[in-house]
Amino acid sequence: MPILCFSLKLVLGRITVILSFFPWVGFGFLDLDSQPWAFLCCILYLLACYKSIKLPENFFLIISVMLAGIFFSLLNTRDVGSFFTLRSVYNYLSVGFFFLGFYDYIIRFGFPYKILLTANYIWLIGAVVEFFNPAFIAYFAPVRTSFERGLTSFAPEPTFYAIFVFFSAWLLLSFSAYEVKKHAKFYVASIFCVFFVSKSSTVILYLILAYATYLILKILRSELDRDFFNSILLFFCAAMVFFISSKYVENSRVFNIAYVILDSGVVNLFSSDASAGERLDAITHSVTGSAKNFFLPAGLDGFSSVIGSKIMSWIGDFFHQLGLFGLLFVLLIFINLWDGTLRNLLEIFLLFIILLSAVPLAFPLVPMLLSVFFYKRRIKKHFVMRCV
């Protein structure tokens, strides 16, 4: 019987992780961007482990703040039974369940290296298949963009594919203590997918911010070593390849945006590019709108009734709809992430900036990354306690 229980936990855990790496795959059953299958399986996994669930530090406090925010926001919601309201409740609950489920899975079974690597290569194969037969991929996930903007693989749009690739690489880097050499080919393939497969300008900006964070860390630590200068050389070589290849790619949105930035600056980009302007407006309105509302919960359908669309910001969603409770939730998460080191502080700052952008709230890899950070802090704390 114990063997059967152990096997059930392992099977449900692995299925949850696998489905989480394909969050938009629905096989045509539901015409939604994010699919609920990983969430449902995560609930089953936690039910199978309910007698011995491993809890992250201060988990009950963090989740209680979020649940209180949902409750008070529902009181200010115009239509409690609307699709927007139900989707918002699901999105928030998915953050909590995935965070707890992944944390327990990592402690119980270890980090899913093979699943992560295999899933990413399947995504790349999906992009290749899409290039030759877009209709085939449309069977697995709804595609809401034109082919010219970039390949989507199993995501609704190129940016979501690139976001998946970016967070997958960050997961692997973070858990392996930023040891690049062991999985160097995977990281090169990830960068290639962002630049030339998905062609996502948003995630290219993520990569630039990540690289800038790395340089700042090296400079603050006075580690101007061989790796530092090699990284600068590689960056300039990659930039040269990027711009030289632009001559052979007509009407590429990535290159057009790059030229607008170089010619007119970043500020003018948001006025000349409709998509970039829309994303910036969604971010600023969600954050500033919350401040103007004195951080009172705006209701779970408030943003959609004003703007006419969903909030395109992970942090902005918490700030705008949950108000003060959302602000406290985010603060508690980031406070509990810090392990006292400079690298971790810069890592948290980078995550905060990225989560301000158009990262979907129901995207499972965000709580998975949070669980990895909490796990690393737990290991470090236990190590320090043993040494004292």
Side-chain angles (χ1 to χ4, degrees):
M1 189 66 177
I3 296 177
L4 179 61
C5 293
F6 177 83
S7 299
L8 180 63
K9 294 174 185 177
L10 179 60
V11 170
L12 288 174
R14 285 184 175 176
I15 293 175
T16 300
V17 173
I18 291 171
L19 292 176
S20 298
F21 282 114
F22 297 91
W24 298 287
V25 173
F27 299 100
F29 292 111
L30 296 174
D31 187 23
L32 301 171
D33 284 348
S34 297
Q35 300 293 322
W37 315 120
F39 176 72
L40 295 175
C41 198
C42 183
I43 293 176
L44 293 177
Y45 169 73
L46 290 173
L47 288 174
C49 304
Y50 79 98
K51 291 184 178 180
S52 58
I53 295 178
K54 315 299 181 184
L55 297 176
E57 189 174 4
N58 296 321
F59 175 77
F60 284 118
L61 174 61
I62 294 171
I63 294 302
S64 296
V65 169
M66 184 182 72
L67 292 177
I70 295 173
F71 173 76
F72 285 106
S73 191
L74 280 171
L75 296 179
N76 200 29
T77 299
R78 296 173 179 82
D79 186 0
V80 177
S82 69
F83 170 76
F84 291 109
T85 302
L86 296 176
R87 182 182 63 187
S88 293
V89 172
Y90 162 77
N91 287 344
Y92 292 125
L93 292 179
S94 69
V95 173
F97 276 101
F98 283 134
F99 175 44
L100 177 59
F102 291 142
Y103 183 84
D104 180 270
Y105 181 91
I106 291 172
I107 292 178
R108 201 179 295 271
F109 303 114
F111 187 79
Y113 285 103
K114 293 182 180 179
I115 297 177
L116 185 150
L117 294 171
T118 303
N120 273 264
Y121 289 126
I122 291 175
W123 274 79
L124 181 56
I125 293 172
V128 174
V129 173
E130 180 191 7
F131 181 80
F132 294 101
N133 187 6
F136 179 76
I137 292 298
Y139 170 76
F140 295 94
V143 179
R144 310 191 190 282
T145 187
S146 60
F147 183 76
E148 291 76 15
R149 287 187 59 191
L151 297 173
T152 64
S153 189
F154 299 105
E157 59 179 80
T159 296
F160 285 179
Y161 174 30
I163 287 174
F164 168 80
V165 171
F166 178 85
F167 275 93
S168 294
W170 198 351
L171 274 168
L172 190 58
L173 273 171
S174 180
F175 200 84
S176 59
Y178 292 91
E179 176 58 47
V180 177
K181 295 180 180 179
K182 185 176 180 180
H183 300 287
K185 293 181 180 179
F186 171 77
Y187 299 127
V188 171
S190 298
I191 294 173
F192 175 82
C193 288
V194 171
F195 275 87
F196 300 105
V197 179
S198 66
K199 304 175 186 177
S200 172
S201 55
T202 299
V203 181
I204 289 175
L205 180 60
Y206 291 176
L207 291 174
I208 294 173
L209 289 173
Y211 178 66
T213 303
Y214 166 78
L215 292 182
I216 292 172
L217 176 63
K218 283 288 190 179
I219 292 171
L220 292 178
R221 284 180 168 180
S222 299
E223 295 178 351
L224 306 183
D225 51 12
R226 183 177 179 180
D227 290 339
F228 176 81
F229 291 105
N230 284 342
S231 69
I232 294 178
L233 179 62
L234 287 173
F235 176 81
F236 280 108
C237 289
M240 288 178 62
V241 172
F242 178 75
F243 284 105
I244 290 173
S245 61
S246 66
K247 296 180 180 180
Y248 305 98
V249 182
E250 296 181 0
N251 300 322
S252 171
R253 185 167 178 270
V254 174
F255 295 124
N256 291 337
I257 289 176
Y259 288 134
V260 170
I261 293 175
L262 292 174
D263 183 56
S264 307
V266 176
V267 176
N268 290 326
L269 168 66
F270 297 105
S271 59
S272 61
D273 185 84
S275 178
E278 182 182 358
R279 293 176 187 274
L280 179 65
D281 183 62
I283 295 170
T284 55
H285 184 84
S286 62
V287 176
T288 59
S290 179
K292 291 178 180 178
N293 197 37
F294 302 102
F295 290 102
L296 295 174
L300 299 183
D301 59 356
F303 189 87
S304 60
S305 62
V306 175
I307 301 298
S309 63
K310 58 186 178 181
I311 301 176
M312 292 190 289
S313 169
W314 197 92
I315 288 178
D317 203 311
F318 277 99
F319 283 5
H320 188 275
Q321 299 198 143
L322 303 190
L324 178 62
F325 297 97
L327 176 63
L328 289 175
F329 173 82
V330 173
L331 285 176
L332 284 171
I333 285 288
F334 285 103
I335 289 172
N336 282 277
L337 286 181
W338 191 37
D339 63 5
T341 63
L342 176 62
R343 184 175 75 177
N344 182 243
L345 182 63
L346 292 174
E347 191 177 42
I348 292 171
F349 179 74
L350 175 64
L351 180 62
F352 180 84
I353 297 299
I354 289 175
L355 292 183
L356 273 174
S357 68
V359 178
L361 185 60
F363 183 50
L365 267 63
V366 172
M368 184 182 284
L369 183 62
L370 294 178
S371 68
V372 168
F373 288 165
F374 271 72
Y375 173 79
K376 288 166 58 180
R377 179 176 175 176
R378 175 180 182 270
I379 295 299
K380 183 176 181 179
K381 187 175 181 179
H382 285 191
F383 176 77
V384 172
M385 291 177 63
R386 287 181 180 180
C387 293
V388 173

